[in-house]
């Protein structure tokens, strides 16, 4: 009997077939040893696992360098249009494995990987937002990701007695082998000060300066030799910071004060779908925008475009060479900042500057939840960015003038569409600023794009319908299939359709020809079983809980938010009290989220220790949800919970990751679930609950939770258990806030979908008993995943918003390092 392949070996098989010439293993080993010796200054007797990791990272990185330099030269020579993707939420993913997959180096790194195996699993993690960068590089777009180099990323979550505790994520402590500091491109960013109006223009003076120091990270495309750049800014105090107050005591204080300026890039605000109007956050938003725009304009002026100095310096051609995509309203200040540069510094007329700005910028909306929309108090602006406030007032004056001309006398419309909200404390509505200052506005799934046109941005849609678009989100099949589930990637490639689908995910539809093929059904079921076993072992090692790998892995992984309705899942678990397992995470300082975590762990305490239930139902809360955990749990899942109230989840991307990894979805008609049902066939998903129109009708009528509570005996029983202390012995009041919310002011209408959800779960359980039918449904789902590649998403952004043409062509490879 042959030994089953390791994940490493499976990915290797895929990478080997993708290669023209096999990499020189001996060279790689030599370089690995060289780095261990010269870079890490260690020998094998004293090298730690971390040293091995760094040596390997440097070895792999060497293969990127030539391609990186060559790609940037190539862009300079060809001078294509550039796209700048601005986001406050980029942070590093697992670059090493991703680089090895994209460069087809994994096979050659064998020995080195063997040495660092366990370390690879615990080191280097990151967040989302990198899918788009991967696709932009794979599609050969001259793209740049711009953001902040946070010293502390999203906190690490610890669960102590069922309660969440947060720990700082000190990810840079041991250095980051992937980034390259570029102090030569440091930029000044101004804050505070005052505005002077002179006959020859406006001056923003007496400002405080913070320097933005760029760190570049390479972003390799999939086997096309392209390496793009993600540039993240770090705040540095200028040397002369406050030194004008120099005296002996003042000097020490001034040096200590440098820290204050550098706080700007200290920490990522972890709020998900929630706006908290903190000055430091506004500083972060302006900091990234101001530094990035200087870079964009410098690169534009230094480009080869045009044959003469005159053409090159003519900023009216900026929109032909530059696209700026605003990821949510967080970088919205790009609009007034670009206006400030064009009008105050470049001395263009307002009209010319405005035309350039609108044609350059585009805005992606990510949520319709009112608590998530950014509205910055005027006072904050007046103090921190006085010139930008003036510019926003002028943008608004002209915008309202246009609306008045279109709708004379419609004062209510003017009030609704103003960039400035006047009721109570005056605030700037950043979404309105983005819509007015952009030529394209998009939602991230069809249903969400329709909703913004019909509701929050209806007035804007009426005046500028041509601006509104949809770009359904996607995920990169490199990370979310080849990297995280090599067994499945291999079955798909080896057994049936070749491996071109990794670049062109629509080819997955070819699997439909084999949906009744017993060998394929068997192999797919086998891979899932292997992934589940592996995850069960991981759970046992990490959390000391034993789960039955033959039970259904029913998983809800996503950040905790009321609209995502983790509570609906809780009610189901209590109702059934029989099989299954769940998993989740929260933002700190968010009381309800913390209570939800406590409830889940409390349910786990009761259910997992019930000897009658035994191993038929286990409830597990996995702490510290992050990409590395998602990469483990998603390939091992049978059932994906996507149960938000219809109309609240803009798209979701977790839903797509599960679908691609062979889980079935139980979900509402919300976000991208709608399109998943369209692509795989609605009969191949477990769809339940209210549609958007039902939610609206219920709002009209008035949602009365008690009506459901009184009518549905099982629901009443569940709620009585929670409020009666069944899950909090000795502390019956522990969950009273959750109970009160569900019964009396639940914006997300959990009870209204309870009955249908329970019924739908019964259908799921029945089908799960028939492995063959279940697996056929899985194949239909995988075959329907083509649309959900971020390559498709990015190709649409490129063609329909940025005016760029994607290409799968390779560029020439440089000689690899000796
Ligand atoms: C994909 C992903 C998300 C988004 O998940 P949703 O289910 O769409 O909310 C959040 N966090 C991590 C770590 C992810 O990998």
């Amino acid at each position: 009997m042959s030994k089953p392949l390791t994940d490493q070996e499976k990915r290797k098989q895929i990478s080997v077939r993708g290669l023209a010439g096999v990499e020189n293993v001996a060279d790689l080993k030599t370089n690995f040893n060289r780095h261990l010796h010269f870079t890490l200054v260690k020998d094998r007797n004293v090298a730690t696992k971390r040293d091995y990791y760094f040596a390997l990272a440097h070895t792999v990185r060497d293969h990127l360098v030539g391609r990186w330099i060559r790609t940037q030269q190539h862009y300079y020579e060809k001078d294509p249009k550039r796209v700048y993707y601005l986001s406050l939420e980029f942070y590093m993913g697992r670059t090493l494995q991703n680089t090895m997959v994209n460069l087809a180096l994994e096979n050659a790194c064998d020995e080195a990987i063997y040495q660092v195996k366990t370390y690879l699993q615990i080191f280097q993690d990151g967040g989302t937002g990198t899918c788009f960068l991967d696709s932009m590089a794979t599609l050969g777009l001259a793209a740049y990701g711009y953001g902040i180099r946070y010293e502390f990323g999203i906190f690490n979550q610890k669960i102590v007695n069922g309660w969440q505790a947060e720990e700082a994520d000190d990810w840079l402590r041991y250095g980051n082998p992937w980034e390259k500091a570029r102090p030569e491109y440091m930029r000044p960013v101004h804050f505070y000060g005052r505005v002077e109006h002179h006959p020859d223009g406006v001056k923003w003076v007496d400002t405080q300066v913070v320097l933005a120091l760029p760190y570049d990270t390479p972003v390799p495309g999939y086997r096309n030799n392209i390496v793009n750049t993600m540039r993240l800014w770090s705040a540095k105090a200028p040397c002369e910071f406050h030194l004008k107050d120099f005296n002996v005591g003042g000097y020490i204080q001034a040096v200590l004060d440098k820290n204050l300026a550098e706080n700007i890039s200290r920490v990522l605000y972890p709020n998900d779908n929630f706006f908290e109007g903190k000055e430091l956050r506004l500083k972060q938003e302006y900091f990234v925008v101001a530094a990035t725009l200087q870079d964009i304009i410098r690169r534009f002026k230094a480009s080869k475009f045009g044959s003469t100095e005159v053409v090159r310096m003519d900023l009216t051609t900026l929109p032909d060479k530059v696209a700026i995509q605003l990821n949510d309203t967080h970088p919205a200040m790009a609009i007034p900042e670009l206006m400030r540069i064009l009008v105050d510094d470049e001395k263009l007329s307002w009209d010319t500057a405005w035309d350039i700005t609108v044609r350059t910028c585009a805005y992606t909306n990510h949520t319709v939840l009112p608590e998530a929309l950014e509205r910055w108090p005027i006072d904050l602006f007046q103090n921190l960015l006085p010139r930008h406030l003036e510019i926003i007032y002028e943008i608004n004056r002209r915008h309202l003038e246009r609306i008045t001309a279109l709708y004379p006398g419609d004062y209510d419309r003017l009030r609704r569409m103003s960039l400035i909200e006047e009721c109570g404390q005056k605030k700037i509505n950043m979404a309105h600023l983005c819509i007015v200052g952009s030529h394209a506005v998009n939602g991230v799934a069809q249903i969400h794009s329709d909703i913004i046109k019909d509701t929050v941005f209806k007035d804007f849609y009426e005046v500028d319908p041509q601006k509104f678009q949809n770009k359904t989100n996607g995920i990169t099949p490199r990370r979310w299939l080849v990297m995280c589930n090599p067994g499945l990637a291999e079955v798909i490639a080896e057994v049936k359709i070749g491996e071109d689908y990794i670049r062109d995910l629509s080819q997955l539809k070819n699997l439909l020809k084999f949906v009744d093929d017993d060998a394929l059904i068997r192999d797919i079921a086998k891979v899932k079983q292997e992934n589940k076993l592996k995850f069960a072992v991981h759970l046992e090692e990490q959390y000391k809980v034993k789960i039955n790998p033959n039970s259904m892995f029913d998983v809800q992984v996503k950040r905790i938010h009321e609209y995502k309705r983790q509570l609906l899942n809780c009610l189901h678990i209590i109702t059934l009290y029989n099989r299954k397992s769940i998993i989740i995470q929260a933002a700190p300082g968010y009381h309800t989220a913390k209570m939800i975590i406590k409830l889940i762990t409390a349910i786990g305490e009761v259910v997992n220790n019930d000897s009658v239930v035994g191993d038929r139902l286990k409830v597990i809360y996995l702490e510290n949800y992050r990409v590395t955990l998602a990469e483990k749990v998603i390939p091992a899942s049978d059932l994906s919970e996507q149960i938000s109230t219809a109309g609240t989840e803009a798209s979701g991307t977790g839903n797509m990751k599960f679908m691609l990894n062979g889980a079935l979805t139980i979900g509402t008609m919300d976000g991208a679930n709608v399109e998943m049902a369209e692509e795989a066939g609605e009969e191949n998903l477990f769809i339940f609950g209210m549609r958007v129109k039902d939610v609206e009708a219920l709002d009209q009528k008035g949602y009365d939770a008690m009506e459901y509570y009184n009518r549905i005996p099982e629901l009443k029983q569940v709620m009585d258990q929670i409020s009666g202390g069944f899950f909090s012995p000795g502390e019956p009041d522990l969950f009273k806030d959750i109970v009160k919310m569900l019964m009396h002011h639940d914006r997300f209408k959990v009870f209204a979908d309870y009955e249908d959800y329970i019924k739908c779960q019964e259908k799921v359980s029945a089908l799960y008993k028939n492995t063959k039918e279940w697996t056929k449904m899985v194949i239909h789902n995988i075959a329907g995943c083509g649309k959900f590649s971020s390559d498709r998403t990015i190709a649409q952004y490129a063609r329909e918003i940025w005016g760029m043409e994607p290409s799968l062509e390779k560029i020439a490879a440089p000689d690899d390092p000796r």
Side-chain angles (χ1 to χ4, degrees):
M1 207 176 82
S2 67
K3 230 173 66 197
L5 297 179
T6 63
D7 282 358
Q8 172 76 37
E9 286 161 340
K10 287 171 195 161
R11 272 194 298 268
K12 220 165 81 183
Q13 288 195 347
I14 286 196
S15 63
V16 166
R17 272 179 286 109
L19 265 181
V22 174
E23 296 289 332
N24 189 329
V25 178
D27 278 0
L28 259 152
K29 280 188 185 163
T30 308
N31 286 327
F32 178 78
N33 289 325
R34 187 171 54 80
H35 277 299
L36 194 63
H37 186 79
F38 288 103
T39 312
L40 282 302
V41 197
K42 286 282 179 88
D43 67 40
R44 284 186 183 249
N45 297 319
V46 291
T48 63
K49 282 186 169 163
R50 185 181 296 115
D51 294 323
Y52 285 122
Y53 166 80
F54 274 90
L56 179 59
H58 278 106
T59 308
V60 169
R61 202 191 81 135
D62 289 347
H63 287 258
L64 280 172
V65 170
R67 289 174 171 86
W68 198 3
I69 292 172
R70 169 111 25 144
T71 301
Q72 301 310 313
Q73 272 171 356
H74 174 80
Y75 291 155
Y76 181 79
E77 291 302 323
K78 296 271 182 271
D79 200 25
K81 186 167 181 180
R82 267 53 166 209
V83 59
Y84 295 93
Y85 196 86
L86 272 58
S87 174
L88 269 86
E89 277 165 30
F90 284 127
Y91 48 107
M92 300 282 303
R94 286 203 303 183
T95 314
L96 177 56
Q97 208 182 354
N98 184 239
T99 305
M100 292 192 295
V101 166
N102 282 15
L103 263 53
L105 282 174
E106 208 168 7
N107 52 330
C109 294
D110 222 11
E111 199 255 352
I113 283 178
Y114 178 77
Q115 306 276 3
V116 297
K117 204 162 163 189
T118 45
Y119 206 59
L120 279 181
Q121 288 169 13
I122 57 170
F123 197 73
Q124 283 283 332
D125 193 24
T128 50
T130 43
C131 282
F132 280 10
L133 295 186
D134 177 276
S135 286
M136 289 189 276
T138 297
L139 295 177
L141 298 170
Y144 303 78
Y146 271 93
I148 294 177
R149 179 179 176 271
Y150 297 108
E151 196 176 323
F152 296 92
I154 188 87
F155 63 93
N156 285 311
Q157 178 192 50
K158 280 256 151 26
I159 302 296
V160 183
N161 295 327
W163 296 101
Q164 169 173 287
E166 298 91 34
E167 251 175 28
D169 164 38
D170 195 3
W171 72 297
L172 291 169
R173 185 184 320 206
Y174 301 103
N176 170 6
W178 301 103
E179 66 181 13
K180 176 73 189 82
R182 299 286 191 194
E184 68 276 28
Y185 297 123
M186 199 131 65
R187 313 268 170 217
V189 176
H190 299 258
F191 293 101
Y192 305 105
R194 59 195 172 76
V195 182
E196 286 179 354
H197 290 259
H198 299 280
D200 60 333
V202 178
K203 288 204 174 76
W204 179 21
V205 296
D206 292 346
T207 55
Q208 291 180 26
V209 174
V210 177
L211 297 177
L213 169 61
Y215 285 79
D216 289 350
T217 299
V219 182
Y222 184 70
R223 297 180 191 183
N224 59 0
N225 300 317
I226 285 176
V227 180
N228 284 342
T229 301
M230 173 172 74
R231 175 163 283 185
L232 303 181
W233 303 100
S234 179
K236 290 290 285 176
C239 293
E240 72 277 17
F241 189 73
H242 279 187
L243 292 190
K244 62 175 183 286
D245 308 326
F246 190 101
N247 61 47
V248 176
Y251 164 72
I252 298 292
Q253 197 53 50
V255 174
L256 295 178
D257 282 354
K258 280 164 78 85
N259 265 321
L260 263 48
E262 292 170 7
N263 274 345
I264 291 180
S265 55
R266 199 78 67 200
V267 60
L268 165 74
Y269 280 88
N271 300 331
D272 178 47
N273 274 303
F274 185 76
F275 171 63
E276 188 189 345
K278 290 278 191 288
E279 184 185 51
L280 182 60
R281 170 71 181 198
L282 183 58
K283 277 188 180 165
Q284 290 183 336
E285 296 188 357
Y286 179 66
F287 175 74
V288 60
V289 156
T292 302
L293 277 173
Q294 290 176 64
D295 233 22
I296 292 174
I297 288 177
R298 175 200 53 82
R299 195 173 289 119
F300 172 80
K301 287 186 172 176
S303 76
K304 272 173 66 175
F305 177 61
S307 50
T308 67
E309 187 78 1
V310 181
V311 175
R312 194 186 318 151
M313 302 297 280
D314 179 4
L315 283 157
T316 59
T317 61
L318 191 77
D320 304 325
K321 302 306 277 182
V322 170
I324 296 175
Q325 189 67 36
L326 308 176
N327 184 35
D328 212 320
T329 56
H330 313 146
M333 290 303 291
I335 292 164
E337 174 66 3
L338 185 52
M339 285 301 288
R340 191 193 62 78
I341 294 169
L342 297 175
V343 173
D344 295 356
D345 298 349
E346 302 286 340
K347 310 288 180 204
L348 296 178
S349 74
W350 182 279
D351 287 326
T352 306
W354 185 244
D355 179 67
I356 293 170
T357 300
V358 173
R359 290 199 294 132
T360 303
C361 296
Y363 157 57
T364 304
N365 172 271
H366 287 274
T367 178
V368 295
L369 293 181
E371 65 267 38
L373 299 179
E374 288 195 298
R375 282 123 99 229
W376 287 104
I378 295 281
D379 305 346
L380 257 179
F381 256 82
Q382 180 67 60
N383 186 36
L384 189 68
L385 299 165
R387 176 57 183 149
H388 297 82
L389 182 59
E390 287 183 353
I391 291 172
I392 291 169
Y393 277 140
E394 181 60 12
I395 294 171
N396 195 40
R397 191 187 64 75
R398 289 164 179 253
H399 158 62
L400 293 181
E401 208 169 75
R402 174 172 172 240
I403 303 304
T404 304
L406 290 169
Y407 302 92
D410 191 346
Y411 298 110
D412 197 50
R413 183 179 296 265
L414 283 183
R415 181 191 55 73
R416 294 196 308 264
M417 294 184 75
S418 176
L419 307 193
I420 315 290
E421 293 183 0
E422 303 272 359
C423 63
Q425 190 187 22
K426 268 193 173 188
K427 287 177 179 161
I428 303 175
N429 185 316
M430 303 303 271
H432 291 187
L433 173 62
C434 285
I435 298 171
V436 172
S438 298
H439 66 284
V441 176
N442 74 282
V444 289
Q446 189 60 55
I447 188 174
H448 167 234
S449 297
D450 291 341
I451 287 171
I452 63 180
K453 290 194 282 189
D454 294 345
T455 62
V456 273
F457 303 146
K458 185 167 191 282
D459 295 318
F460 292 91
Y461 175 64
E462 279 170 18
V463 295
D464 289 311
Q466 78 293 344
K467 280 191 184 180
F468 287 78
Q469 301 195 19
N470 171 244
K471 296 288 167 280
T472 299
N473 267 163
I475 53 171
T476 167
R478 273 72 66 184
R479 179 177 296 270
W480 295 109
L481 183 60
V482 180
M483 258 173 77
C484 76
N485 198 346
L488 182 58
E490 180 58 17
V491 166
I492 296 169
E494 180 84 348
V495 189
K496 297 302 170 195
I497 63 171
E499 64 179 72
D500 284 352
Y501 75 91
I502 296 168
R503 246 180 282 257
D504 173 13
L505 207 64
S506 69
Q507 291 185 25
L508 284 178
K509 66 177 179 297
N510 295 332
L511 282 177
L512 282 180
K513 288 183 271 197
F514 305 100
V515 74
D516 293 317
D517 181 319
D518 284 331
L520 180 66
I521 293 171
R522 190 196 57 221
D523 288 347
I524 296 233
K526 188 160 149 258
V527 169
K528 180 62 74 182
Q529 199 55 29
E530 287 168 3
N531 291 340
K532 288 171 69 172
L533 268 170
K534 223 166 60 190
F535 190 66
V537 169
H538 169 76
L539 277 182
E540 202 170 339
E541 284 172 4
Q542 210 81 34
Y543 299 90
K544 314 287 172 243
V545 277
K546 252 193 155 71
I547 55 172
N548 177 355
N550 295 315
S551 65
M552 186 197 304
F553 287 15
D554 173 352
V555 178
Q556 184 171 25
V557 277
K558 45 184 79 245
R559 296 178 66 166
I560 289 188
H561 202 296
E562 276 177 60
Y563 83 84
K564 291 176 185 276
R565 298 201 297 192
Q566 278 89 2
L567 286 171
L568 182 56
N569 196 339
C570 289
L571 300 189
H572 170 242
I573 295 167
I574 302 172
T575 307
L576 289 188
Y577 216 120
N578 53 30
R579 268 181 309 263
K580 308 179 189 193
S581 36
I582 63 164
I583 302 144
I584 317 161
Q585 136 154 27
Y590 185 179
H591 174 71
T592 314
K594 289 195 168 189
M595 289 309 302
I596 293 171
I597 293 172
K598 181 66 184 170
L599 177 61
I600 296 163
T601 54
I603 295 168
E605 279 292 308
V606 173
V607 173
N608 299 348
N609 295 311
D610 185 322
S611 58
V612 180
V613 173
D615 73 349
R616 287 177 305 141
L617 175 65
K618 291 286 179 200
V619 180
I620 300 160
Y621 181 87
L622 286 184
E623 63 194 18
N624 206 17
Y625 179 50
R626 61 207 186 282
V627 173
T628 32
L629 183 56
E631 287 172 359
K632 281 197 179 69
V633 64
I634 291 173
S637 301
D638 295 302
L639 187 65
S640 159
E641 299 271 351
Q642 306 298 335
I643 58 180
S644 52
T645 315
T648 64
E649 183 74 88
S651 163
T653 51
N655 45 6
M656 302 166 185
K657 298 169 193 167
F658 281 99
M659 186 183 187
L660 185 56
N661 281 279
L664 297 184
T665 301
I666 183 165
T668 48
M669 276 297 198
D670 198 20
N673 299 353
V674 177
E675 288 157 82
M676 285 161 44
E678 226 166 77
E679 296 297 305
E682 194 167 332
E683 68 283 7
N684 293 308
L685 278 78
F686 296 96
I687 298 290
F688 71 94
M690 295 177 287
R691 309 304 199 246
V692 170
K693 63 171 175 15
D694 303 320
V695 175
E696 284 166 0
L698 190 51
D699 272 326
Q700 287 290 312
K701 175 172 155 253
Y703 168 64
D704 176 14
M706 295 306 287
E707 187 188 303
Y708 303 89
Y709 172 84
N710 289 322
R711 181 168 58 75
I712 309 166
E714 273 189 305
L715 174 60
K716 181 170 188 304
Q717 185 193 352
V718 169
M719 291 310 298
D720 291 350
Q721 281 172 319
I722 299 174
S723 55
F726 186 77
F727 297 105
S728 50
E731 223 182 323
D733 278 352
L734 186 61
F735 299 116
K736 68 173 190 313
D737 290 351
I738 287 185
V739 170
K740 204 169 126 195
M741 185 274 288
L742 287 172
M743 304 271 232
H744 301 292
H745 45 88
D746 176 10
R747 294 163 58 207
F748 301 106
K749 307 180 177 63
V750 169
F751 291 1
D753 276 339
Y754 170 84
E755 228 176 354
D756 203 22
Y757 180 52
I758 301 294
K759 279 208 196 99
C760 196
Q761 285 280 14
E762 284 162 11
K763 281 196 274 177
V764 172
S765 299
L767 186 74
Y768 189 71
K769 297 196 178 96
N770 186 338
T771 305
K772 186 167 174 180
E773 288 307 310
W774 178 278
T775 309
K776 278 190 187 182
M777 211 187 246
V778 166
I779 296 171
H780 276 284
N781 272 270
I782 298 172
C785 270
K787 178 172 183 182
F788 305 109
S789 168
S790 47
D791 297 344
R792 187 271 314 149
T793 310
I794 289 299
Q796 288 182 325
Y797 274 98
R799 294 190 176 112
E800 297 161 22
I801 298 182
W802 305 332
M804 295 165 73
E805 189 53 35
S807 156
L808 285 175
E809 265 166 48
K810 291 185 182 185
I811 63 171
D815 293 334
D816 272 325
R818 291 145 307 256

